[in-house]
Amino acid sequence: MKNNRLQFLLQLLVDNKINERELEELASLMQQPDNDEIIDAELKNTWENVSSSAKIDDTSYHNITNHPRFKKSIADGSVNTRNIRLHNKWYYVAATVLLSCGIGLAIYLFSNANKPQIQLANQVAPTAQIDNHVTLTLSSGKKVALEEVALGKVGTDDNIIITKNKEGQLVYDLSKAIDDGALAYNTISTPVGSNYQVVLSDGTKVWLNAKTTLKFPAVFKGANRQVELSGEAYFEVAHNEKQPFLLTAKGMTVQVLGTHFNVSAYNDDQLVKASLLEGSIKANHQAKSLLLLPGQQAVLSESKLSQNGFNEDDVMAWRSGYFIFRNEPIQEIMKEISRWYHIEVDYQGDLTKEEFGGKYLKSSSLKELLSSLELTGTVKFKMEGRRVTVMQ
């Protein structure tokens, strides 16, 4: 959803890891009034948690603390001023304050005097790369950055009206559809650090995890409702016995009549997992089929299809805003973390074979999460910009 992307960009800003393109995207999101709540929450979090030994001048300090939004936070108790010091963190607070009010933006990102300034004008040009957005690609090839469009009608495709509702979801309206037999395919792609929800033309609800692509017809025609997935998504499939729902993901096909299930099929994972929460599904690979009941999971590994049980909390943690790691090697943990925090991971030396576990909020900063993992005493991390090195 849009809030996840906004929170992700704000965290990059606070961590001093945001680039100019992302800064422009953040500025655009900040000027939308329905984002005020998450901005205020991030202002509070920044004030309470970010620190540095670098100092700023008195003028900058007073510009921040005299800002209306800052004063409001003081008045309602959102910001604790008992330990006010002139630290580098004020630059980040100032950036959040100024962006959130949609006024002239002068954002200074640096950790020492040698780093360059980034300055934005009063009106931010829409130059952010489409790959940084939740993107809808229509059958014509036109791409739409969904966080950028207003509520209401987004466009039409194959006589289907595509709208964005007040919850930020994409909805397909069949009221003017014409069944001419041809399929017009749409694709939704989510970037690092973003989730999104779409309601397909048959009423099926789909929640997409970060770095996920879903290809589907604007309107389902013919004997089947067929979609393609790369990444991870949760489906609540609208019941239709006459038109089964078919999902394909990296060699596995999941056949559904009407049910709730999750599929994980990232390109950099060796496994494809279909986990059934409600109803029944049939998982297929080549000549083998498995009929699953709730609580069962189909796993495709090295062209072998098998059946396991699964922990629902673990599988659905991403929808609840958590990472849950249960007896996983550090390499698998870092793979999942990189999909959310937009980092590159290196490994140094002979790493421990110990398996890790734990539950972590995805709204936490990357630094907080890695610090928690370091408490095990068996692994250390070095952060350099967007590169994280894992060490023994």
Side-chain angles (χ1 to χ4, degrees):
M1 301 294 288
K2 176 178 65 177
N3 279 358
N4 290 326
R5 181 63 178 172
L6 174 57
Q7 193 170 40
F8 170 73
L9 292 170
L10 281 168
Q11 192 61 56
L12 287 182
L13 177 67
V14 170
D15 291 341
N16 198 10
K17 296 176 183 176
I18 198 166
N19 62 34
E20 188 167 3
R21 186 178 62 204
E22 290 163 337
L23 194 59
E24 292 178 355
E25 179 186 353
L26 176 59
S28 178
L29 287 174
M30 286 292 194
Q31 294 180 55
Q32 299 176 22
D34 57 343
N35 289 330
D36 280 352
E37 184 175 346
I38 192 171
I39 294 166
D40 286 335
E42 190 64 24
L43 171 60
K44 176 184 176 182
N45 180 65
T46 300
W47 178 278
E48 298 289 348
N49 296 315
V50 180
S51 63
S52 170
S53 60
K55 294 185 178 181
I56 65 174
D57 58 80
D58 290 344
T59 300
S60 298
Y61 170 79
H62 289 300
N63 285 342
I64 296 160
T65 54
N66 287 329
H67 195 279
R69 183 182 287 275
F70 187 90
K71 286 184 174 180
K72 178 179 179 294
S73 296
I74 296 291
D76 64 19
S78 296
V79 170
N80 183 353
T81 59
R82 64 183 179 273
N83 292 316
I84 293 179
R85 291 176 293 176
L86 299 182
H87 278 299
N88 182 19
K89 72 177 182 180
W90 302 120
Y91 279 103
Y92 307 129
V93 177
T96 304
V97 169
L98 295 176
L99 278 167
S100 65
C101 295
I103 63 176
L105 309 179
I107 302 168
Y108 300 93
L109 301 175
F110 69 101
S111 59
N112 57 57
N114 296 323
K115 286 194 176 180
Q117 291 183 347
I118 299 176
Q119 189 169 10
L120 302 182
N122 189 43
Q123 297 296 325
V124 180
T127 57
Q129 294 291 327
I130 198 79
D131 290 344
N132 289 330
H133 294 275
V134 178
T135 304
L136 171 68
T137 304
L138 302 176
S139 60
S140 64
K142 179 183 177 181
K143 294 181 181 294
V144 180
L146 293 176
E147 300 108 321
E148 297 293 299
V149 296
L151 302 183
K153 185 175 178 180
V154 173
T156 58
D157 205 349
D158 197 21
N159 291 309
I160 304 301
I161 301 172
I162 307 169
T163 60
K164 180 179 175 182
N165 66 19
K166 63 182 180 180
E167 286 79 30
Q169 304 163 351
L170 204 63
V171 178
Y172 283 68
D173 180 0
L174 279 171
S175 60
K176 296 185 179 180
I178 300 174
D179 189 356
D180 57 5
L183 292 175
Y185 281 92
N186 286 187
T187 302
I188 292 183
S189 299
T190 56
V192 169
S194 287
N195 299 338
Y196 200 74
Q197 184 183 355
V198 57
V199 181
L200 304 182
S201 60
D202 66 336
T204 291
K205 298 177 182 179
V206 188
W207 287 259
L208 283 70
N209 202 353
K211 291 190 70 176
T212 294
T213 298
L214 180 70
K215 182 179 179 181
F216 55 94
V219 58
F220 294 104
K221 303 172 184 179
N224 298 312
R225 294 171 286 165
Q226 190 154 1
V227 302
E228 299 175 20
L229 177 73
S230 174
E232 183 169 24
Y234 171 71
F235 295 81
E236 293 185 354
V237 178
H239 184 77
N240 185 346
E241 290 184 357
K242 297 180 180 179
Q243 196 180 33
F245 190 93
L246 296 177
L247 178 145
T248 57
K250 289 182 65 177
M252 182 189 288
T253 301
V254 178
Q255 183 177 351
V256 184
L257 294 178
T259 190
H260 301 178
F261 66 101
N262 190 83
V263 174
S264 179
Y266 282 103
N267 290 331
D268 56 352
D269 278 345
Q270 295 181 349
L271 306 179
V272 181
K273 299 178 182 179
S275 308
L276 181 64
L277 284 81
E278 182 180 309
S280 63
I281 60 175
K282 183 185 290 185
N284 305 294
H285 174 69
Q286 298 178 355
K288 185 169 183 179
S289 295
L290 293 174
L291 181 62
L292 302 183
L293 299 176
Q296 296 178 335
Q297 180 183 75
V299 180
L300 178 61
S301 175
E302 298 179 347
S303 294
K304 294 180 181 179
L305 189 63
S306 60
Q307 180 178 307
N308 298 325
F310 71 93
N311 184 305
E312 182 176 330
D313 289 340
D314 292 357
V315 168
M316 299 308 299
W318 68 270
R319 271 205 61 205
S320 302
Y322 288 94
F323 294 109
I324 294 182
F325 307 122
R326 202 178 299 275
N327 300 323
E328 295 184 45
I330 192 64
Q331 291 87 346
E332 290 301 311
I333 288 175
M334 295 307 297
K335 187 187 298 182
E336 189 169 346
I337 289 173
S338 69
R339 292 175 187 145
W340 191 252
Y341 290 102
H342 197 187
I343 56 172
E344 297 178 7
V345 182
D346 288 335
Y347 299 93
Q348 182 177 310
D350 295 327
L351 294 177
T352 178
K353 297 187 182 298
E354 182 175 340
E355 294 181 328
F356 296 80
K359 182 176 181 179
Y360 306 91
L361 274 170
K362 298 178 83 169
S363 59
S364 298
S365 70
L366 175 62
K367 183 177 180 181
E368 288 172 330
L369 194 157
L370 297 182
S371 295
S372 296
L373 290 172
E374 283 186 339
L375 292 176
T376 62
T378 57
V379 67
K380 294 182 180 180
F381 303 94
K382 180 172 68 175
M383 297 175 60
E384 297 175 306
R386 288 190 178 158
R387 184 173 298 278
V388 175
T389 302
V390 186
M391 303 170 289
Q392 184 73 38

